[in-house]
């Protein structure tokens, strides 16, 4: 028969638990065992120890499948994780992909099974900002620590952060009345801030703790985005494993079955409480790293580890001399996902008058083969008697190792220590910025300064306004938190506003130059977070502006910019949502110049008014790493020949037929002073930003004007189908006014008409923008893979056409636009 176990604390707080028949039960999350405090009376120690005697180490939980879903060892009815005490409805609940449209969440579990179970927290149902999911009590870990592995995903504008925390209650003995005060204590072990877009990610966390405790997942909901509408979002967990990892288990498995190798899910993680966790000292350096628990000197080294007791350090005392090196090598690590680098995070302690240099180096190649390396991070000199976090993005397409290299300084007071090394999914900017290697010096979170990112100079005459660095809370946008600190005090970059701002004003932000070797292909990944929100959409459509990233080659002799050699590598325009989103762009350079840079352009279509004063583009956190990957999001990747004509004609050029009686008859960029019928730009509604031709012949002579695009690759057999889309407007009264789209072979100059429209087909009273599309396929006219060009050919004697927003999509044209089916001739 179960008994009620009552624990009395001060302030008349009484907690009731179900206890076992012999007084043994699961240890409460509000109690810490008294054996951590030997000075307590033995009666209190005995009572608390008996309560913890049945705590257990939970195993992996996949949360079941189909109708047999299970919560395993997670406390779904914890009072802190329910929507209301009256309803007792848990905010976290069991679900599966088959229930995703009923409860929310992804369409499959982490293994891709539609019937597989997972834990779900749907943000639109909760009312609290932080919703906790605690485990049952867990035994104290061994010194080697416990490896926690889980898969997670989060999606939606209100899904802010997911945390894994360690929690317990600390006992404070009061001698006067012999009572015990329970003081909650918590430590954040891991935090994920990335919007994964329903993509399941795997996280590993290694920690050690000497007392029984609980782990808890905390879902943090951003309620600031729900001012006018309750926006959906979710957090999901699957395959949570809280088991203990020991190196001896791997050795035992190898002895029993040499063909079976247990993969350490916390490979490379280490808190140095019970050893080096697979890290090893280099045999070819000058001396070794040691394990420590606390410095014996008051003028160098740490008093204790960062979180727990142990750490790794170098002893710079006798017989060390200035310049001696100690190298600590990680285990061999597998190549990273091209789209998902790792963030190496660690804590450093550089205290002492003689502190030398600490470096992070990445080496490539197997032992016995040719080894190459590159420096990622470096810090020299003293940085106070505190632990400071360092981090750097890690990527590799082959097996690699990470090396912590410490070099002794000018005297023996130079002990360098590291602790809590971890590898987490996702990129991160180098921190601190002063430690960034030359290849990473454009990494920035803008919390201290602009990290070398600069506005365009006035002599360049390429932009109209500047980017400014400011706290997020000073933004005119509905933006109350930055992405780095998740507070209003954190800094962001955004284009400035002024009363003299004009339509289509631009703001350029330049990176530092990147060195490249002539003739060598240099591939790097630029990741960043952006906020593009237009809370009030005009009846004419969204008109926020655009954000684009270019590469710009610089002359190695004069260092003058070559604006003609700018290539757009990423672009988005107008409203993208009311939350921070991650962007990723591939930088690929093969040049004979010394340097290239990365300009960031923001274009604002309107002058400052009451309506648009709340609209802006905001940037934060740049991170660079070496990788070959796809741009993200997919719609941000520029395709060949595309152009929206708001800056120039993007390598499209106007070509007459050679028989024109009017030398000024051509395709031209619209301006505020010269445009047909006051037609606004389609992209942003500005008075400029498209191309047009307008012909009037008194002799009724038909002019032929051609707009020829740059070389592109035909679809071809075995290649993805392509869909050409564009917007066009017609004006004038000429019955013969028409627009054709041709595909021209770049080698033979042979042409094929793929789309055609006459003005009389539109039956329009006034010029208005219409959507056009046509599929591009190789049907034998062009050789598979042969380069081709697109040509817009206008014919008119009294009238013309305007064109804007030429875009190429992969996958072909799925359907015709229903509004004007007679307009489209997909052949």
């Amino acid at each position: 028969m179960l008994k009620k176990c009552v624990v009395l604390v001060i302030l008349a707080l009484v907690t009731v638990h179900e206890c076992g028949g012999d007084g043994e039960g699961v240890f409460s999350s509000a109690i810490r065992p008294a054996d951590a405090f030997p000075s307590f009376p033995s009666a209190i120690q005995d009572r608390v120890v008996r309560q913890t005697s049945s705590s257990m180490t939970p195993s992996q939980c996949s949360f079941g499948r189909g109708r047999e879903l299970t919560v395993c060892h997670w406390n779904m009815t914890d009072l802190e994780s329910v929507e209301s005490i009256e309803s007792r409805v848990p905010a976290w609940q069991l679900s599966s992909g088959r229930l995703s449209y009923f409860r929310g969440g992804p369409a499959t579990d982490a293994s891709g099974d539609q019937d597989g179970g997972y834990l779900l927290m749907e943000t639109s149902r909760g009312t609290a900002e932080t919703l906790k999911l605690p485990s049952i009590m867990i035994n104290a870990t061994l010194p080697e620590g416990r490896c926690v592995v889980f898969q997670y995903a989060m999606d939606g504008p209100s899904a802010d952060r997911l945390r894994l925390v360690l929690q317990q209650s600390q006992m404070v003995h009061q001698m006067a009345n012999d009572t015990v005060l329970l003081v909650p204590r918590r430590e954040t072990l891991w935090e994920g801030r990335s919007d994964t877009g329903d993509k399941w990610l795997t996280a590993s966390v290694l920690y050690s703790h000497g007392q029984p405790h609980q782990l808890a997942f905390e879902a943090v909901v951003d309620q600031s985005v729900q001012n006018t509408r309750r926006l959906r979002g979710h957090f999901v967990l699957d395959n949570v494993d809280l088991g203990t990892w020991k190196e001896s288990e791997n050795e035992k498995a190898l002895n029993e079955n040499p063909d079976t190798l247990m993969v350490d899910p916390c490979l490379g993680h280490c808190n140095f409480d019970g050893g080096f966790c697979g890290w090893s000292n280099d045999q070819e350096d000058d001396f070794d790293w040691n394990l420590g628990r606390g410095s014996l000197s008051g003028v160098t080294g740490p008093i204790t580890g960062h979180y727990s007791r142990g750490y790794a350090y170098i002893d710079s005392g006798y017989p060390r001399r200035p310049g001696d090196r100690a190298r600590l090598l990680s285990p061999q690590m597998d190549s990273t996902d091209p789209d998902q680098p790792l963030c190496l995070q660690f804590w450093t302690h550089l205290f002492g008058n003689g502190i030398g240099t600490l470096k992070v180096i990445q080496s490539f190649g197997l032992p016995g083969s040719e080894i190459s390396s590159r420096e990622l991070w470096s810090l020299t000199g003293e940085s106070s008697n505190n632990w400071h976090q360092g981090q750097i993005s890690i990527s590799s397409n082959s097996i690699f190792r990470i090396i912590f290299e410490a070099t002794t300084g000018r005297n023996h007071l130079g002990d360098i220590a590291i602790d809590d090394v971890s590898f987490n999914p996702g990129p991160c900017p180098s921190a601190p910025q002063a430690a960034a290697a030359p290849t990473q010096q454009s990494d920035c979170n803008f919390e201290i300064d602009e990290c070398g990112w600069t506005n365009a100079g006035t002599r360049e005459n390429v932009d109209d306004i500047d980017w400014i660095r400011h706290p997020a809370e000073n933004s005119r946008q509905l933006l109350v938190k930055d992405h780095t600190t998740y507070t209003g005090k954190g800094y962001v970059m955004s284009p400035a506003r002024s009363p003299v701002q004009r339509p289509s004003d631009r703001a350029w932000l330049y990176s530092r130059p990147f060195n490249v070797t002539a003739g060598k292909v240099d591939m790097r990944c630029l990741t960043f977070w952006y906020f593009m929100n237009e809370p009030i959409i005009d009846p004419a459509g969204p008109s926020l502006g655009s954000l684009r990233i270019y590469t710009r080659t610089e002359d190695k002799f004069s260092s003058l910019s070559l604006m003609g050699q700018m290539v757009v590598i990423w672009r988005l325009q107008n409203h993208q949502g009311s939350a921070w989103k991650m962007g990723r762009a591939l930088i690929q350079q093969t040049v004979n110049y010394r340097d290239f840079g990365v300009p960031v352009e923001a274009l604002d279509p309107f002058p400052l008014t009451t309506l648009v004063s709340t609209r802006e583009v905001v940037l934060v956190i740049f991170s660079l790493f070496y990788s070959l990957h796809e741009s993200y999001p997919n719609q941000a990747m520029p395709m060949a020949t595309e152009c929206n004509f708001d800056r120039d004609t993007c390598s499209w050029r106007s070509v007459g037929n050679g028989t024109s009686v009017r030398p000024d008859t051509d395709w031209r960029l619209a301006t505020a002073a010269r445009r047909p019928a006051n037609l606004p730009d389609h992209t942003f509604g500005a008075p400029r930003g498209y191309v047009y031709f307008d012909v009037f012949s008194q002799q009724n002579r038909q002019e032929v004007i051609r707009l020829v695009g740059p070389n592109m690759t035909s679809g071809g057999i075995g290649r993805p189908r392509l869909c050409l889309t564009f917007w066009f407007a017609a004006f004038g009264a000429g019955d013969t006014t028409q627009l054709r789209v041709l595909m021209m072979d770049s080698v033979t100059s042979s042409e094929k008409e793929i789309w055609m429209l006459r003005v009389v087909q539109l039956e329009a009273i006034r010029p208005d923008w219409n959507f056009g599309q046509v599929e591009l396929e190789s049907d034998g006219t062009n050789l598979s893979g042969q380069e081709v060009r697109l040509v817009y050919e206008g014919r008119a004697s009294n009238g013309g056409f305007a064109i804007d927003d030429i875009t190429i999509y992969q996958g072909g044209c799925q359907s015709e636009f229903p509004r004007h089916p007679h307009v489209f001739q997909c052949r």
Side-chain angles (χ1 to χ4, degrees):
M1 178 179 179
L2 294 177
K3 303 175 183 178
K4 294 295 181 181
C5 180
V6 181
V7 180
L8 178 65
V9 296
I10 64 172
L11 300 179
L13 173 62
V14 178
T15 57
V16 180
H17 306 275
E18 297 292 338
C19 298
D22 296 326
E24 298 178 350
V26 176
F27 183 54
S28 166
S29 62
I31 304 174
R32 182 180 179 183
D35 56 3
F37 301 90
S39 60
F40 282 5
S42 59
I44 298 179
Q45 295 185 37
D46 293 341
R47 182 177 69 243
V48 178
V49 169
R50 283 198 299 270
Q51 291 174 347
T52 64
S53 61
S54 64
S55 59
M56 58 177 293
T57 299
S59 59
Q60 184 181 27
C61 184
S62 62
F63 304 106
R65 186 178 186 277
R67 296 180 180 273
E68 299 180 355
L69 300 181
T70 175
V71 299
C72 301
H73 40 267
W74 296 97
N75 185 4
M76 302 288 289
T77 58
D78 183 78
L79 293 181
E80 295 186 49
S81 63
V82 299
E83 293 183 3
S84 67
I85 297 178
E86 292 79 12
S87 64
R88 294 293 196 275
V89 177
W92 287 88
Q93 58 181 329
L94 279 169
S95 190
S96 66
R98 197 171 294 277
L99 302 174
S100 60
Y101 290 103
F102 178 61
R103 294 181 176 175
T108 67
D109 70 351
S111 62
D113 184 0
Q114 187 180 27
D115 293 316
Y118 52 74
L119 283 181
L120 164 72
M121 207 296 288
E122 172 62 42
T123 60
S124 61
R125 297 175 58 249
T127 56
E129 183 178 3
T130 302
L131 297 157
K132 186 179 297 184
L133 178 70
S135 71
I136 64 173
M137 286 303 302
I138 302 175
N139 280 328
T141 71
L142 296 175
E144 292 81 3
R146 186 186 306 278
C147 181
V148 179
V149 186
F150 57 94
Q151 291 178 279
Y152 70 98
M154 60 183 81
D155 192 23
S158 56
D160 193 338
R161 284 167 288 171
L162 181 65
R163 292 191 290 244
L164 178 65
V165 301
L166 182 150
Q167 61 184 27
Q168 68 174 40
S169 294
Q170 179 175 342
M171 282 186 152
V172 178
H173 182 227
Q174 295 186 352
M175 298 297 295
N177 52 10
D178 197 27
T179 58
V180 176
L181 174 65
L182 305 182
V183 181
R185 176 190 173 192
R186 65 189 299 275
E187 297 286 347
T188 300
L189 302 179
W190 174 91
E191 183 174 82
R193 296 181 176 181
S194 173
D195 181 350
T196 66
D198 267 1
K199 179 181 179 181
W200 288 93
L201 299 179
T202 301
S204 303
V205 181
L206 180 69
Y207 78 98
S208 60
H209 193 72
Q211 303 296 333
H213 56 279
Q214 280 183 303
L215 296 179
F217 286 100
E218 291 182 349
V220 182
V221 179
D222 186 358
Q223 297 179 334
S224 64
V225 302
Q226 302 184 15
N227 293 328
T228 57
R229 300 177 62 192
R230 176 162 288 189
L231 303 177
R232 70 175 181 86
H234 63 253
F235 300 85
V236 285
L237 292 167
D238 198 5
N239 298 327
V240 181
D241 188 354
L242 306 185
T244 301
W245 175 267
K246 306 186 191 70
E247 293 181 10
S248 58
E249 293 181 0
N250 193 27
E251 297 174 0
K252 180 180 178 181
L254 285 174
N255 294 332
E256 295 177 352
N257 185 358
D259 297 328
T260 301
L261 177 62
M262 297 176 63
V263 179
D264 186 347
C266 285
L267 184 69
H269 297 238
C270 197
N271 56 19
F272 305 103
D273 280 349
F276 281 107
C277 319
W279 290 72
S280 59
N281 279 290
D282 191 350
Q283 301 302 311
E284 298 180 0
D285 57 4
D286 303 312
F287 67 111
D288 289 344
W289 286 78
N290 300 314
L291 294 177
R293 192 173 184 271
S295 174
L296 299 177
S297 171
V299 292
T300 188
I303 300 301
T304 186
H306 163 246
Y307 169 64
S308 54
R309 295 292 183 182
Y311 56 82
Y313 77 105
I314 64 163
D315 185 351
S316 59
Y318 179 85
R320 301 278 63 83
R321 290 163 293 178
D324 282 358
R325 295 183 309 158
R327 292 162 59 94
L328 189 64
L329 280 58
S330 75
Q332 289 182 0
M333 307 189 69
D334 289 336
S335 59
T336 59
D337 185 333
D339 291 338
Q340 191 65 51
L342 297 174
C343 177
L344 169 62
Q345 294 181 313
F346 54 95
W347 290 81
T348 66
H349 195 281
L350 306 174
F351 173 63
N353 178 265
I355 291 294
T357 300
L358 176 64
K359 294 181 179 180
V360 178
I361 300 171
Q362 187 177 18
S363 67
F364 308 90
L366 295 171
S369 63
E370 183 177 355
I371 303 295
S372 61
S373 64
R374 61 170 173 249
E375 181 182 315
L376 303 179
W377 188 98
S378 177
L379 203 60
T380 300
E382 186 178 17
S383 59
S384 79
N385 188 16
N386 292 293
W387 286 97
H388 299 282
Q389 188 180 50
Q391 64 181 26
I392 191 70
S393 290
I394 301 293
S395 63
S396 176
N397 58 4
S398 62
I399 293 176
F400 68 95
R401 281 186 169 184
I402 297 298
I403 303 171
F404 284 102
E405 180 182 280
T407 304
T408 55
R410 58 185 179 181
N411 59 47
H412 66 282
L413 302 178
D415 294 355
I416 296 175
I418 60 173
D419 200 3
D420 290 338
V421 180
S422 64
F423 294 84
N424 301 303
C428 56
S430 300
Q433 177 62 28
T439 57
Q440 315 291 142
Q441 285 183 352
S442 289
D443 287 18
C444 197
N445 58 18
F446 303 112
E447 292 305 305
I448 299 177
D449 54 27
E450 292 83 1
C451 315
W453 289 82
T454 57
N455 285 287
T458 55
R459 292 185 178 181
E460 293 187 67
N461 195 30
V462 296
D463 68 353
D464 312 283
I465 52 180
D466 286 341
W467 288 80
I468 59 173
R469 173 180 164 270
H470 60 87
E473 62 186 5
N474 293 349
S475 171
R476 289 164 298 274
Q477 183 56 267
L478 295 178
L479 174 67
V480 295
K481 299 178 182 178
D482 80 323
H483 188 273
T484 311
T485 66
Y486 271 70
T487 67
K489 305 297 182 182
Y491 281 81
V492 299
M493 295 289 291
S494 65
R497 298 272 183 171
S498 70
V500 297
Q501 192 167 318
R502 298 166 298 177
S504 299
D505 279 355
R506 299 174 180 86
W508 288 88
L509 185 67
Y510 291 157
S511 73
R512 296 175 178 176
F514 298 95
N515 295 328
V516 292
T517 304
K520 179 182 177 181
V521 178
D522 189 292
M523 292 186 178
R524 310 186 195 189
C525 180
L526 173 70
T527 64
F528 54 96
W529 291 84
Y530 60 93
F531 190 95
M532 301 175 66
N533 183 35
E534 192 173 358
I536 302 176
I537 305 297
D538 189 87
S543 56
L544 173 67
S546 70
L547 177 65
R548 300 176 194 155
I549 298 176
Y550 298 79
T551 56
R552 185 186 75 168
T553 304
E554 297 185 356
D555 189 279
K556 65 179 180 180
F557 299 109
S558 65
S559 297
L560 296 177
S561 63
L562 304 177
M563 298 301 293
Q565 297 190 12
M566 292 182 59
V567 178
V568 60
I569 59 174
W570 190 95
R571 82 286 180 270
L572 279 179
Q573 63 192 37
N574 294 327
H575 176 77
Q576 298 296 322
S578 57
W580 286 104
K581 296 180 180 294
M582 187 187 76
R584 188 173 63 221
L586 177 63
I587 303 173
Q588 180 175 346
Q589 288 291 313
T590 306
V591 297
N592 293 321
Y593 296 94
R594 179 191 64 192
D595 302 325
F596 73 92
V598 181
V600 178
E601 177 197 49
L603 185 148
D604 193 339
F606 288 108
L608 181 64
T609 66
T610 302
L611 176 63
V612 300
S613 63
T614 59
R615 304 176 182 178
E616 63 183 328
V617 178
V618 185
L619 284 175
V620 70
I621 304 183
F622 284 91
S623 176
L624 276 168
F625 57 92
Y626 289 90
S627 182
L628 176 61
H629 62 87
E630 296 294 333
S631 295
Y632 183 85
N634 293 334
Q635 64 267 27
M637 182 175 65
M639 298 293 291
T641 75
E642 73 170 28
C643 191
N644 60 13
F645 302 104
D646 61 2
R647 186 172 72 93
D648 52 29
T649 59
C650 315
S651 300
W652 288 78
R653 56 190 179 90
S654 180
V655 179
N657 64 353
T659 61
S660 175
V661 297
R662 293 180 54 190
D664 62 340
T665 300
D666 55 9
W667 290 89
R668 66 189 66 185
L669 286 169
T671 65
R674 187 174 183 179
R675 53 180 174 147
N678 289 325
L679 180 69
D681 164 50
H682 172 264
T683 315
F684 307 118
R688 61 180 179 179
Y690 59 91
V691 292
Y692 74 98
F693 75 91
D694 190 5
V695 173
F696 174 72
S697 174
Q698 294 181 347
Q699 294 81 21
N700 200 29
R701 177 187 177 92
Q702 188 178 61
E703 301 286 348
V704 180
I705 310 100
R706 295 161 67 91
L707 185 67
V708 182
N711 286 343
M712 60 173 292
T713 302
S714 169
I717 301 174
R719 297 175 179 269
R721 296 182 304 162
L722 302 177
C723 181
L724 167 67
T725 69
F726 54 96
W727 289 83
F728 64 93
F731 44 88
D735 294 340
T736 60
T737 303
Q738 67 177 25
L739 179 66
R740 297 200 303 163
V741 180
L742 310 173
M743 182 178 287
M744 180 176 68
D745 191 299
S746 299
V747 177
T748 64
S749 297
S750 60
E751 297 178 349
K752 176 187 176 182
E753 178 185 301
I754 59 175
W755 189 95
M756 189 273 288
L757 172 75
R758 293 184 176 88
V759 170
V760 295
Q761 293 178 265
L762 288 176
E763 302 175 358
I765 299 176
R766 60 181 179 84
D768 198 6
W769 289 106
N770 297 274
F771 179 68
Q773 67 177 8
V774 59
E775 189 162 302
L776 308 179
E777 283 189 292
S778 175
D779 59 359
T781 302
N782 302 98
L783 298 176
S784 175
Q786 181 67 55
E787 286 190 337
V788 298
R789 290 185 176 185
L790 294 175
V791 179
Y792 284 89
E793 182 185 86
R795 294 173 178 262
S797 59
N798 183 14
F801 276 87
I803 295 176
D804 201 3
D805 295 337
I806 300 175
T807 307
I808 303 288
Y809 292 93
Q810 292 190 4
C813 302
Q814 302 302 321
S815 62
E816 296 180 353
F817 197 62
R819 198 171 297 173
H820 299 288
H822 61 278
V823 170
F824 309 101
Q825 301 178 12
C826 292
R827 304 181 176 181

